[in-house]
Amino acid sequence: MSQAEPKGFFRLVVPYNASDTVSGVMDFRLTDDQELLRRSVREFAETEIRPHVVEWDNAQHFPIELVPKLAALGLMGIQCPEEYGGAGMSAIDYCICIEELSRVDPSVSLSVAAHNGLCSSHLLMFGNDAQKREYLVPLARGEKIGAWGLTESSSGSDAAGMRTTATRAGSRWVLNGSKTFTTHGRVGDTLVAMAITDRAAGSKGISAFILQKGTPGLTPGRKEDKLGMRASETSEVLFDNCAVPEDQMLGDEGHGFVDAMQVLDAGRIGIAALAVGLAQGAYEAALRYSQERRAFGKTISQFQAIQWKLADNATRIEAARLLTYRAAYMKDRHRRMTLESAMAKLYASEIAVKAADDCVQIHGGYGFVKDYPAEKFFRDVKLTTIGEGTSEIQRLVIARELLAR
Ligand SMILES: Cc1cc2nc3c(=O)[nH]c(=O)nc-3n(C[C@H](O)[C@H](O)[C@H](O)COP(=O)(O)OP(=O)(O)OC[C@H]3O[C@@H](n4cnc5c(N)ncnc54)[C@H](O)[C@@H]3O)c2cc1C
C-alpha cells in the first residue's frame, strides 16, 4: 500500500495557520481525476452492463465474459498496487467504482466487491511477497477470479463458531468441512478460506489458507437460487481431505480470524458504497418515472407526497455517501476505522432499502413487474443489510466501539 497521502475528497484546506483548526475548511469536492473515473465507470456500466441486466438476472448468469472488460478498466485490482498488477487506486476511488457499477447492476458490483474487497484484500493485507506475486497478481489483472470463505451453514454472524478444520500432516495442511454462501464458490479460481487449526484456542485457533481451483479434495457445492443479486454467483464449497502445502497458509497460524475481521472492516466500506450506488440508481429511476407518469391531469412529480419521497431519499443518499467516503478517507490514511465502516455500512444499507421501497411505491403497479428496474433494486437491496455482517451485527460492533471509549 502506498504510504503517500492521497489527494481528493476530504482534503483539509487550512488557509491561514496549520495549527488553527478553526480556520480550516473541509473541501468536499472530488478531484478532477475522480470525476473522470466516475464518468468512465458510469459510461462502461451504461454500455457494457445495462443492456444485459434483465437477461443475467433472469438466467442467474454470472457474466464471466465481462471480466476481461472489467480488468481493462482496472476494476479487478482497484486498490491493488501497480507492482502487484493492480490499478493502485485509493479507497475513495474504490467507492466511486463500486457505486457506479451498483447504480446499474448491484449484482455485478457485489461480485467486483467480493473479488477485490475480500479475497484480494486479504492477500494484499496479510500475504507475504511470494504469495502476492503468485496469487494476487493474476487476480488483480483479472486473469483469475477470487472467492473468500468464512461463513458456514451453522456459523454466519458467529463466524468463529466454524467447524471446518485444517490438520497438519508433515509439511501440508489437510482441510475438511465446508463453506456456505461463498461468492464465486463455483467460478472462483483462488479461494481464501478460514479453518480451525487449534480448536482449544477458540477464535485464536483459526488460520487462513489459499486454495486453488482443481486442488484434489476441493469441490464446489450447490449453487444458491437467490432472491436478488442473481448475476453474482453464490455457492457452497466442500473440502474433503483437501491437502495444501504449508506455504499456502495466509498470515500467521492462529491469526486467520483476527485478520478476517480486519478484512471485513475494509470490506464493509465496499458494501456501503454498493448500497449508496444502488440507492442512487433506484432514486434516479423513481425521479425519471415521476416526471413521465401522469395522474389527475399532472405528472405525479407535481404531487407533494411524491416530492417528499424524492427529497428524503436524495438527502439520505448524500448522508450515506459522506459516511462512506469518511470511512474510505480513514482507510486511505491507514487509520483504524472499525466504527466508521460499520456506521457507513449500517446506514447506507438501511437507507438503500428505503430508497428501493420508495422506488417501487412511486412506480405503483409498474414497480411490481419486470418491465421497470424498480422490482430488481427491491430484490437486490436486501443483501446489503445481510452480507459482510447483518445490520444487527453492525449495531453490535458500533456499540462495542462506543462503550470501549
Ligand atoms: C448473496 C450472499 C453472498 C455472500 N457472500 C459471502 C462470501 O463471499 N463469503 C462469506 O464468507 N460469506 C458470504 N455471505 C454470508 C453472509 O456474510 C452471512 O449470510 C451473514 O454474515 C449472516 O450470517 P447467517 O446467514 O448465518 O445469519 P445468522 O448469523 O444465522 O443470523 C440470523 C439472524 O440472527 C441475527 N443475529 C445473529 N447473531 C446476533 C446477535 N449477536 N445479536 C443480534 N442479532 C443476531 C442476525 O442479525 C440475523 O438477523 C454471503 C451471503 C449472501 C446472502
Side-chain angles (χ1 to χ4, degrees), residues 152-229:
E152 300 188 0
S153 58
S154 58
S155 58
S157 304
D158 179 18
M162 68 178 61
R163 293 180 182 168
T164 296
T165 56
T167 313
R168 197 182 257 289
S171 63
R172 296 158 92 79
W173 288 95
V174 181
L175 278 79
N176 278 291
S178 64
K179 295 289 167 185
T180 197
F181 294 137
T182 310
T183 302
H184 308 149
R186 294 180 77 85
V187 295
D189 303 287
T190 303
L191 167 71
V192 171
M194 275 45 76
I196 297 168
T197 44
D198 178 3
R199 192 175 291 283
S203 64
K204 297 205 171 84
I206 292 171
S207 306
F209 296 88
I210 308 165
L211 296 115
Q212 293 286 74
K213 193 177 203 166
T215 305
L218 173 66
T219 48
R222 184 174 57 109
K223 175 174 167 171
E224 301 296 345
D225 186 3
K226 303 197 299 289
L227 166 76
M229 301 292 196

Side-chain angles (χ1 to χ4, degrees), residues 32-303:
D32 291 346
D33 285 350
Q34 287 169 331
E35 293 288 3
L36 179 63
L37 175 68
R38 190 183 288 287
R39 280 200 301 277
S40 308
V41 182
R42 181 167 297 199
E43 194 182 308
F44 171 80
E46 291 292 348
T47 54
E48 300 290 343
I49 299 175
R50 174 92 65 200
H52 309 286
V53 170
V54 174
E55 170 202 335
W56 292 342
D57 180 63
N58 284 341
Q60 215 167 201
H61 169 68
F62 172 76
I64 201 155
E65 63 276 19
L66 190 68
V67 172
K69 295 177 186 172
L70 289 164
L73 264 188
L75 298 177
M76 296 298 280
I78 301 173
Q79 292 183 81
C80 188
E82 287 171 19
E83 68 165 310
Y84 294 118
M89 292 192 235
S90 71
I92 290 180
D93 297 339
Y94 178 68
C95 291
I96 293 168
C97 298
I98 295 294
E99 264 180 78
E100 289 304 322
L101 294 175
S102 185
R103 177 181 161 274
V104 172
D105 190 344
S107 56
V108 170
S109 192
L110 178 64
S111 276
V112 171
H115 170 92
N116 280 276
L118 295 177
C119 179
S120 299
S121 174
H122 201 140
L123 281 159
L124 181 62
M125 288 167 80
F126 300 105
N128 58 37
D129 189 60
Q131 289 172 331
K132 287 179 190 171
R133 296 209 179 278
E134 183 163 359
Y135 305 107
L136 182 59
V137 169
L139 289 166
R141 287 186 182 150
E143 293 157 6
K144 291 197 169 173
I145 296 171
W148 191 78
L150 179 66
T151 306
E152 300 188 0
S153 58
S154 58
S155 58
S157 304
D158 179 18
M162 68 178 61
R163 293 180 182 168
T164 296
T165 56
T167 313
R168 197 182 257 289
S171 63
R172 296 158 92 79
W173 288 95
V174 181
L175 278 79
N176 278 291
S178 64
K179 295 289 167 185
T180 197
F181 294 137
T182 310
T183 302
H184 308 149
R186 294 180 77 85
V187 295
D189 303 287
T190 303
L191 167 71
V192 171
M194 275 45 76
I196 297 168
T197 44
D198 178 3
R199 192 175 291 283
S203 64
K204 297 205 171 84
I206 292 171
S207 306
F209 296 88
I210 308 165
L211 296 115
Q212 293 286 74
K213 193 177 203 166
T215 305
L218 173 66
T219 48
R222 184 174 57 109
K223 175 174 167 171
E224 301 296 345
D225 186 3
K226 303 197 299 289
L227 166 76
M229 301 292 196
R230 288 167 58 82
S232 176
E233 188 229 54
T234 316
S235 82
E236 286 180 322
V237 178
L238 313 173
F239 311 104
D240 180 12
N241 285 320
C242 175
V244 292
E246 59 190 355
D247 63 5
Q248 285 178 220
M249 178 178 275
L250 177 57
D252 294 336
E253 185 177 340
H255 277 247
F257 183 77
V258 178
D259 294 351
M261 293 303 108
Q262 282 193 50
V263 170
L264 283 174
D265 275 351
R268 283 172 185 152
I269 301 173
I271 302 299
L274 191 158
V276 170
L278 190 157
Q280 181 72 35
Y283 160 78
E284 287 176 19
L287 176 69
R288 203 167 43 242
Y289 185 81
S290 74
Q291 291 169 310
E292 290 163 4
R293 179 70 174 174
R294 297 184 71 81
F296 301 96
K298 354 169 134 167
T299 64
I300 61 169
S301 64
Q302 292 175 68
F303 299 128

